[in-house]
Coordinates of all heavy atoms in Angstrom, one line a residue:
F1 N -63.9 49.6 -40.0 CA -63.6 48.5 -40.9 C -64.9 47.7 -41.4 O -65.9 47.7 -40.7 CB -62.7 47.5 -40.2 CG -61.4 48.0 -39.8 CD1 -61.2 48.5 -38.5 CD2 -60.4 48.1 -40.7 CE1 -60.0 49.0 -38.1 CE2 -59.1 48.7 -40.2 CZ -59.0 49.1 -39.0
N2 N -64.8 47.2 -42.6 CA -65.8 46.2 -43.1 C -65.2 44.9 -42.7 O -64.0 44.6 -43.0 CB -66.0 46.3 -44.6 CG -66.3 47.8 -45.0 OD1 -67.1 48.5 -44.2 ND2 -65.9 48.2 -46.2
T3 N -66.0 44.0 -42.2 CA -65.6 42.7 -41.7 C -66.3 41.6 -42.3 O -67.5 41.6 -42.4 CB -65.7 42.7 -40.1 OG1 -65.0 43.8 -39.5 CG2 -65.2 41.3 -39.5
G4 N -65.5 40.5 -42.6 CA -66.2 39.2 -43.0 C -65.6 38.1 -42.1 O -64.4 38.2 -41.7
A5 N -66.4 37.1 -41.8 CA -65.9 36.0 -41.0 C -66.6 34.7 -41.3 O -67.8 34.7 -41.7 CB -66.2 36.3 -39.5
V6 N -65.8 33.6 -41.2 CA -66.4 32.3 -41.5 C -66.0 31.3 -40.3 O -64.8 31.5 -39.8 CB -66.0 31.7 -42.9 CG1 -66.5 32.6 -44.0 CG2 -64.5 31.5 -43.0
P7 N -66.8 30.4 -40.0 CA -66.4 29.5 -38.9 C -65.3 28.5 -39.4 O -65.3 28.1 -40.6 CB -67.7 28.8 -38.5 CG -68.5 28.9 -39.7 CD -68.1 30.1 -40.5
I8 N -64.5 28.0 -38.5 CA -63.6 26.9 -38.7 C -64.1 25.6 -38.0 O -64.4 25.6 -36.8 CB -62.2 27.2 -38.1 CG1 -61.7 28.5 -38.7 CG2 -61.2 26.1 -38.5 CD1 -60.3 29.0 -38.1
Y9 N -64.3 24.6 -38.8 CA -64.8 23.4 -38.2 C -63.7 22.3 -38.1 O -62.8 22.2 -39.0 CB -65.9 22.8 -39.1 CG -67.2 23.5 -39.1 CD1 -67.5 24.5 -40.0 CD2 -68.2 23.2 -38.1 CE1 -68.6 25.2 -40.0 CE2 -69.4 23.9 -38.1 CZ -69.6 24.9 -39.0 OH -70.8 25.6 -39.0
Y10 N -63.7 21.6 -36.9 CA -62.8 20.5 -36.8 C -63.6 19.4 -36.0 O -64.2 19.6 -34.9 CB -61.6 20.9 -35.9 CG -60.5 19.8 -35.8 CD1 -59.6 19.6 -36.8 CD2 -60.5 19.0 -34.7 CE1 -58.6 18.6 -36.7 CE2 -59.5 18.0 -34.5 CZ -58.6 17.8 -35.5 OH -57.7 16.8 -35.4
A11 N -63.7 18.2 -36.7 CA -64.5 17.1 -36.1 C -65.9 17.6 -36.0 O -66.6 17.3 -34.9 CB -63.9 16.7 -34.8
R12 N -66.4 18.3 -37.0 CA -67.8 18.8 -37.0 C -68.1 19.8 -35.9 O -69.3 20.0 -35.6 CB -68.7 17.7 -37.0 CG -68.6 16.8 -38.2 CD -69.7 15.6 -38.2 NE -69.5 14.8 -39.4 CZ -70.3 13.8 -39.7 NH1 -71.4 13.5 -38.9 NH2 -70.2 13.2 -40.9
E13 N -67.1 20.4 -35.2 CA -67.3 21.4 -34.2 C -66.6 22.7 -34.6 O -65.6 22.6 -35.2 CB -66.9 20.9 -32.8 CG -67.6 19.7 -32.3 CD -67.2 19.4 -30.9 OE1 -66.2 20.0 -30.4 OE2 -67.7 18.4 -30.2
I14 N -67.2 23.8 -34.2 CA -66.6 25.1 -34.5 C -65.5 25.3 -33.5 O -65.7 25.3 -32.3 CB -67.6 26.2 -34.4 CG1 -68.7 26.0 -35.5 CG2 -66.9 27.6 -34.6 CD1 -69.8 27.1 -35.4
V15 N -64.3 25.5 -34.0 CA -63.1 25.6 -33.1 C -62.5 27.0 -33.3 O -61.5 27.3 -32.7 CB -62.1 24.5 -33.4 CG1 -62.5 23.2 -33.0 CG2 -61.6 24.6 -34.9
G16 N -63.2 27.9 -34.0 CA -62.7 29.2 -34.2 C -63.3 29.9 -35.4 O -64.2 29.3 -36.0
I17 N -62.9 31.1 -35.7 CA -63.4 31.7 -36.9 C -62.2 32.5 -37.6 O -61.3 33.0 -36.9 CB -64.5 32.8 -36.6 CG1 -64.0 33.9 -35.6 CG2 -65.7 32.1 -36.0 CD1 -65.1 35.0 -35.4
V18 N -62.3 32.5 -38.9 CA -61.3 33.3 -39.7 C -62.0 34.6 -40.1 O -63.1 34.6 -40.6 CB -60.9 32.6 -40.9 CG1 -59.9 33.4 -41.7 CG2 -60.3 31.2 -40.5
C19 N -61.3 35.8 -39.8 CA -61.9 37.1 -40.1 C -61.0 37.9 -41.0 O -59.8 37.7 -41.0 CB -62.1 37.8 -38.7 SG -62.8 36.9 -37.4
V20 N -61.6 38.7 -41.8 CA -60.9 39.7 -42.6 C -61.5 41.1 -42.5 O -62.7 41.2 -42.4 CB -61.0 39.2 -44.1 CG1 -62.4 39.1 -44.6 CG2 -60.2 40.2 -45.0
D21 N -60.7 42.0 -42.4 CA -61.0 43.5 -42.2 C -60.5 44.3 -43.4 O -59.3 44.2 -43.8 CB -60.4 44.1 -40.9 CG -61.2 43.7 -39.7 OD1 -62.3 43.0 -39.8 OD2 -60.7 43.9 -38.6
Y22 N -61.4 45.1 -44.0 CA -61.0 46.1 -45.0 C -61.4 47.5 -44.4 O -62.4 47.6 -43.8 CB -61.8 45.9 -46.3 CG -61.3 44.8 -47.2 CD1 -61.6 43.5 -47.0 CD2 -60.5 45.2 -48.3 CE1 -61.1 42.5 -47.9 CE2 -60.0 44.2 -49.2 CZ -60.3 42.9 -49.0 OH -59.8 41.9 -49.8
E23 N -60.5 48.4 -44.6 CA -60.8 49.8 -44.2 C -62.0 50.2 -45.1 O -62.1 49.9 -46.3 CB -59.6 50.7 -44.5 CG -58.5 50.4 -43.5 CD -57.3 51.4 -43.7 OE1 -57.0 51.7 -44.8 OE2 -56.9 52.0 -42.6
D24 N -62.9 51.0 -44.4 CA -64.2 51.2 -45.1 C -64.2 52.6 -45.9 O -65.3 53.1 -46.2 CB -65.4 51.3 -44.1 CG -65.3 52.6 -43.2 OD1 -64.2 53.2 -43.1 OD2 -66.4 52.9 -42.7
R25 N -63.0 53.0 -46.3 CA -62.9 54.2 -47.0 C -63.8 54.2 -48.3 O -64.5 55.2 -48.6 CB -61.5 54.6 -47.4 CG -60.6 55.0 -46.3 CD -59.4 55.6 -46.8 NE -58.6 54.7 -47.7 CZ -57.8 53.8 -47.3 NH1 -57.4 53.7 -46.0 NH2 -57.2 53.0 -48.3
F26 N -63.8 53.1 -49.0 CA -64.5 53.0 -50.2 C -66.0 53.3 -50.0 O -66.7 54.0 -50.7 CB -64.3 51.7 -51.0 CG -65.1 51.5 -52.2 CD1 -64.8 52.1 -53.3 CD2 -66.3 50.8 -52.2 CE1 -65.5 51.9 -54.5 CE2 -67.1 50.5 -53.2 CZ -66.7 51.2 -54.4
F27 N -66.6 52.5 -49.1 CA -68.0 52.6 -48.8 C -68.4 54.0 -48.3 O -69.4 54.5 -48.8 CB -68.5 51.5 -47.9 CG -70.0 51.4 -47.8 CD1 -70.6 50.7 -48.9 CD2 -70.7 51.8 -46.7 CE1 -72.0 50.6 -48.8 CE2 -72.1 51.7 -46.7 CZ -72.7 51.1 -47.7
S28 N -67.7 54.5 -47.3 CA -68.0 55.8 -46.8 C -67.9 56.9 -47.8 O -68.7 57.8 -47.9 CB -67.2 56.1 -45.5 OG -65.8 56.1 -45.9
E29 N -66.8 56.8 -48.6 CA -66.6 57.8 -49.6 C -67.7 57.7 -50.7 O -68.1 58.7 -51.3 CB -65.2 57.6 -50.3 CG -64.1 58.0 -49.3 CD -62.7 57.8 -49.9 OE1 -62.6 57.3 -51.1 OE2 -61.7 58.1 -49.3
S30 N -68.1 56.5 -51.1 CA -69.1 56.3 -52.1 C -70.4 56.9 -51.6 O -71.2 57.5 -52.3 CB -69.3 54.8 -52.4 OG -69.8 54.1 -51.3
M31 N -70.8 56.8 -50.3 CA -71.9 57.3 -49.7 C -71.8 58.9 -49.7 O -72.8 59.6 -50.0 CB -72.1 56.9 -48.2 CG -72.4 55.4 -48.1 SD -74.1 55.0 -48.7 CE -75.0 55.9 -47.4

């Protein structure tokens, strides 16, 4: 998978992260 993630802030503190996964067929096939 290709993965992206950003932090979640609450009261100026990181309380978790939101992540997204894409299957990497496009990139591997392009290579």
Side-chain angles (χ1 to χ4, degrees):
F1 301 96
N2 305 325
T3 300
V6 298
I8 305 174
Y9 288 91
Y10 186 82
R12 298 185 178 182
E13 293 186 358
I14 296 176
V15 295
I17 61 173
V18 179
C19 314
V20 57
D21 281 352
Y22 278 82
E23 289 183 313
D24 75 337
R25 290 193 304 268
F26 174 79
F27 191 76
S28 60
E29 288 176 2
S30 66
M31 291 291 291

